[in-house]
Amino acid sequence: MESRDAVLDALKKGKRLTSVITGMQYTLIAGKLHSRHGDKTDWRESGLQFDNPPSWLNLRE
């Protein structure tokens, strides 16, 4: 995605974002960021903060 704000806006709209590097998916659940591997069904709270460009540049819808 282009920016940290674009990532946060997409997540707030209920979109699931996927890292093209790791295959991890990210979504908001009860206002908290959660992640899972693409082949798993369980979501876990994520510590990812999107504080630097590599953490959002590789995310896609």
Side-chain angles (χ1 to χ4, degrees):
M1 304 212 72
E2 316 78 52
S3 68
R4 181 180 189 268
D5 290 335
V7 167
L8 296 175
D9 287 343
L11 290 170
K12 287 176 185 174
K13 291 177 182 175
K15 297 187 179 188
R16 292 182 182 165
L17 304 179
T18 304
S19 169
V20 297
I21 303 297
T22 65
M24 293 288 289
Q25 293 181 339
Y26 297 93
T27 193
L28 286 180
I29 299 174
K32 295 182 180 178
L33 184 66
H34 284 69
S35 64
R36 71 176 180 186
H37 284 284
D39 58 348
K40 304 275 184 184
T41 58
D42 57 327
W43 291 95
R44 296 182 182 202
E45 195 167 339
S46 173
L48 188 61
Q49 299 295 316
F50 303 120
D51 288 332
N52 54 44
S55 65
W56 68 71
L57 289 175
N58 298 311
L59 294 176
R60 301 289 180 260
E61 288 184 46

